[in-house]
Amino acid sequence: MDRMYLRRARNLVMSVMCMASAVVVIIPLVMILFYVAADGLRAINWGFFTNLPKPVGETGGGMANAIAGTFTMVTLATGLSLPVGLMAGIYLSEFGRGRLREAVRFLTDVLNGVPSIITGIFVYVLVVVAMGRYSALAGSVALGIIMIPIITRSTEEMLRMVPKSLREASLALGATEQQTVVKIVLRSASGGIVTGVMLAVARAAGETAPVLFTALNNRYWNQGLDQPIASLAVFIYTYGISPFEDWHSQAWGAALVLVVMVLFLNITARLVVRARQGR
Amino acid sequence: MLHGMKVRDLNAWYNDNHVLKNINLHLMGGKITALIGPSGCGKSTFIRCLNRMHEVIRGGRVRGEVWLEGENIYGRRVDAVMIRRRIGMVFQKPNPFPTMSILENAVSGVCLHESLNTNGLAERAEEALRQAALWEEVKYRLDDPAVSLSGGQQQRLCIARALAVKPEVLLMDEPCSALDPASTLRIEELMAELKKTYTVIIVTHNMQQAARVADHTAFVYQGEVVEDGPTSEIFTAPKDPRTEGYITGRFG
């Protein structure tokens, strides 16, 4: 009898600990959202989305250029990294063999682990120095390099989760390997792949250090992809470390906009995937 | 007259494991041939060699000849993809494409090879679903996801999917082992119907099933065909003691 009680007690303790840990996992997110919303909402008004930043000393002003800048760079970075990441993921999961595949997989993980500031310095040397100026393009390249390994590995994982039986079904119908990959495997994994891409987009939208080194910042509208461009992340950074009270408040506002943008992207992606699968 | 298949000196390997040894067998056209044998005897590998699906597995290797209507499917200039169009296959576990509707599944193979318009596809789907005895159950829900069907219905959908390509031979690898008795019965009835139009080859570990449906039976044991012949002879008067031992339940 004693042993039974002991076992039950142990079971209870472990269950409670696991549940408590699960709660601890979500506490930071909830608190971040709460703080950002509480402080950010005060700074946000219509002008915040439509105006350019005001010069030091003047109150008001907005960050329309930073929102547009983040959109521009993330879109461009996605355009650069999505084809590469997707196809590399397909290679790793479907066609890769032997040492080359192991090498690519390992190096992808290493690239994923490279601190983003290093990526920033690398692109600074490669693009900024070569072009002779900071530019939106350089920022996009840096963000794209950060996105590639995330897209590659998540695509690979999702493709590998597609059961072998589906590939065999397709091949047995007389499909070629390419048809099997495109029409069956990719289609079955599309939900997971989209989620992976969204994670990469969210990560890129929030990166600060590499953008600081490559796109710099801009207090006005961007004058072309070969010119410096503002972004929300750098906006938050520069306003956050400034000595001005109203700039702090605007940094909170920018943080809120960034968080909401990322959440919105994630939720939209999930809804799109669910709508496509739940036919 | 439907085409049969002739297997000559067929050997197959998984890496270094020699799983099929010098198989010679005549699979008769327009008949049902059952391959029986204990687990791991190589009967699934054998049926996969008949439409070049064995080589799809990493480490899978084949040597030998398999003839379909005067053509060796392992011939040097033969494209495995074209062979699989002519020799359809149904697997052990129902494997409809989960992202596709019932209709899309039924014509998924057709779409790979032929460019038909919507009407042509719908006709082909109906024809195949009727042949697979599934039409009456799904005709009002063709746009539902295939995974909403029961296991037995999914397996008949997989049969329809294979038939829609209009193959000459239909291979079935333990098509009923994941199904309940009622669904099994339906598929067995279906097979009797199918042999009028197709050469059917079925792998089964269920001897009663072989006895019920097959015209011919081959007993596979440790990678070899021990004995083959008309089903009634194999079950009533086996010549080889190993066959007798297996069908009387002494092993396997």
Side-chain angles (χ1 to χ4, degrees), chain A residues 93-94 96-97 101 164-177 179 183-184 187-188 277 279, chain B residues 48 53 56 58 81 84-85 87 89 91 95-100 104 108-109 112-113 145 161-162 165:
Chain A
S93 153
E94 306 296 318
R97 296 275 181 278
R101 180 180 62 171
K164 208 164 70 184
S165 64
L166 291 187
R167 296 164 209 266
E168 294 201 326
S170 171
L171 290 172
L173 283 170
T176 62
E177 268 194 67
Q179 287 172 324
K183 296 195 174 171
I184 305 301
R187 197 169 159 184
S188 304
Q277 287 183 334
R279 270 176 315 113
Chain B
R48 293 173 65 98
M53 284 297 286
V56 166
R58 223 166 266 194
V81 169
R84 295 185 196 123
R85 285 182 53 184
I87 307 173
M89 188 165 202
F91 295 84
N95 54 2
F97 300 123
T99 53
M100 297 185 190
E104 287 172 316
S108 53
L112 297 170
H113 315 299
R161 181 175 68 184
V165 184

Side-chain angles (χ1 to χ4, degrees), chain B residues 53-203:
Chain B
M53 284 297 286
H54 178 63
E55 67 207 51
V56 166
I57 301 167
R58 223 166 266 194
R61 201 153 51 84
V62 182
R63 200 180 66 209
E65 298 173 0
V66 176
W67 293 83
L68 172 67
E69 192 212 352
E71 187 181 23
N72 176 12
I73 68 168
Y74 285 100
R76 205 176 297 163
R77 288 219 200 97
V78 176
D79 181 7
V81 169
M82 298 306 290
I83 289 302
R84 295 185 196 123
R85 285 182 53 184
R86 297 173 64 193
I87 307 173
M89 188 165 202
V90 175
F91 295 84
Q92 192 169 350
K93 261 177 70 184
N95 54 2
F97 300 123
T99 53
M100 297 185 190
S101 69
I102 295 169
L103 181 75
E104 287 172 316
N105 259 283
V107 294
S108 53
V110 181
C111 292
L112 297 170
H113 315 299
E114 300 167 52
S115 43
L116 295 174
N117 59 18
T118 319
N119 277 336
L121 283 176
E123 273 171 33
R124 190 67 80 80
E126 179 174 346
E127 189 188 345
L129 288 167
R130 279 188 193 283
Q131 280 188 308
L134 188 60
W135 177 252
E136 293 302 322
E137 291 158 62
V138 300
K139 61 181 173 185
Y140 297 121
R141 46 184 292 206
L142 290 170
D143 291 326
D144 286 3
V147 283
S148 67
L149 297 172
S150 74
Q153 288 172 324
Q154 287 186 18
Q155 192 64 303
R156 275 180 283 149
L157 179 57
C158 292
I159 295 173
R161 181 175 68 184
L163 296 180
V165 184
K166 295 191 178 294
E168 296 155 52
V169 180
L170 186 64
L171 308 175
M172 304 176 102
D173 185 1
E174 299 193 24
C176 303
S177 63
L179 305 181
D180 62 82
S183 305
T184 301
L185 182 65
R186 294 220 54 171
I187 289 188
E188 287 181 5
E189 288 168 354
L190 175 59
M191 282 191 263
E193 206 51 44
L194 290 177
K195 73 171 179 182
K196 294 173 188 163
T197 341
Y198 305 94
T199 298
V200 179
I201 297 156
I202 174 176
V203 161

Side-chain angles (χ1 to χ4, degrees), chain B residues 29-40:
Chain B
K31 299 269 197 265
I32 300 179
T33 304
L35 304 170
I36 60 168
S39 299

Side-chain angles (χ1 to χ4, degrees), chain A residues 79-95:
Chain A
L80 292 172
S81 60
L82 189 61
V84 179
L86 206 60
M87 285 194 272
I90 292 172
Y91 167 80
L92 287 180
S93 153
E94 306 296 318
F95 301 112

Side-chain angles (χ1 to χ4, degrees), chain A:
Chain A
M1 279 317 259
D2 274 358
R3 293 181 60 163
M4 192 181 78
Y5 284 121
L6 196 66
R7 197 172 65 219
R8 282 189 180 171
R10 217 158 36 203
N11 184 28
L12 185 71
V13 170
M14 286 312 288
S15 304
V16 169
M17 274 166 61
C18 288
M19 212 193 316
S21 302
V23 173
V24 169
V25 168
I26 58 169
I27 283 178
L29 177 67
V30 172
M31 285 177 69
I32 286 171
L33 289 178
F34 179 78
Y35 273 98
V36 170
D39 285 322
L41 275 174
R42 262 182 281 153
I44 285 182
N45 50 47
W46 186 240
F48 195 72
F49 293 99
T50 55
N51 293 337
L52 290 175
K54 283 269 161 66
V56 181
E58 283 185 45
T59 52
M63 44 162 209
N65 58 339
I67 296 175
T70 291
F71 261 115
T72 307
M73 279 196 289
V74 169
T75 308
L76 212 56
T78 308
L80 292 172
S81 60
L82 189 61
V84 179
L86 206 60
M87 285 194 272
I90 292 172
Y91 167 80
L92 287 180
S93 153
E94 306 296 318
F95 301 112
R97 296 275 181 278
R99 279 215 195 133
L100 181 61
R101 180 180 62 171
E102 292 313 311
V104 171
R105 184 179 290 152
F106 176 70
L107 292 175
T108 310
D109 282 345
V110 172
L111 182 59
N112 202 9
V114 169
S116 58
I117 193 159
I118 308 286
T119 308
I121 294 169
F122 167 69
V123 175
Y124 173 82
V125 172
L126 197 76
V127 183
V128 177
V129 172
M131 283 176 71
R133 59 170 164 264
Y134 295 100
S135 66
L137 195 65
S140 305
V141 170
L143 294 181
I145 291 176
I146 289 164
M147 289 173 73
I148 284 175
I150 306 176
I151 296 177
T152 302
R153 287 311 303 270
S154 67
T155 301
E156 184 202 354
E157 297 296 325
M158 292 304 143
L159 292 180
R160 279 151 66 98
M161 272 166 58
V162 175
K164 208 164 70 184
S165 64
L166 291 187
R167 296 164 209 266
E168 294 201 326
S170 171
L171 290 172
L173 283 170
T176 62
E177 268 194 67
Q178 287 91 323
Q179 287 172 324
T180 301
V181 169
V182 175
K183 296 195 174 171
I184 305 301
V185 181
L186 272 181
R187 197 169 159 184
S188 304
S190 60
I193 292 173
V194 170
T195 308
V197 173
M198 281 306 131
L199 274 175
V201 166
R203 168 91 189 274
E207 281 295 344
T208 316
V211 177
L212 209 50
F213 270 95
T214 51
L216 199 64
N217 198 357
N218 192 338
R219 296 189 59 78
Y220 304 97
W221 291 105
N222 171 247
Q223 298 298 315
L225 293 179
D226 60 343
Q227 297 292 329
I229 191 168
S231 60
L232 279 169
V234 175
F235 191 102
I236 294 166
Y237 171 71
T238 41
Y239 273 45
I241 59 169
S242 76
F244 314 116
E245 201 54 50
D246 60 326
W247 278 29
H248 292 169
S249 163
Q250 289 203 319
W252 280 110
L256 179 61
V257 172
L258 190 56
V259 167
V260 169
M261 250 169 68
V262 168
L263 275 180
F264 180 75
L265 268 176
N266 266 314
I267 292 168
T268 318
R270 265 157 217 268
L271 289 180
V272 167
V273 168
R274 200 176 299 168
R276 272 194 55 189
Q277 287 183 334
R279 270 176 315 113

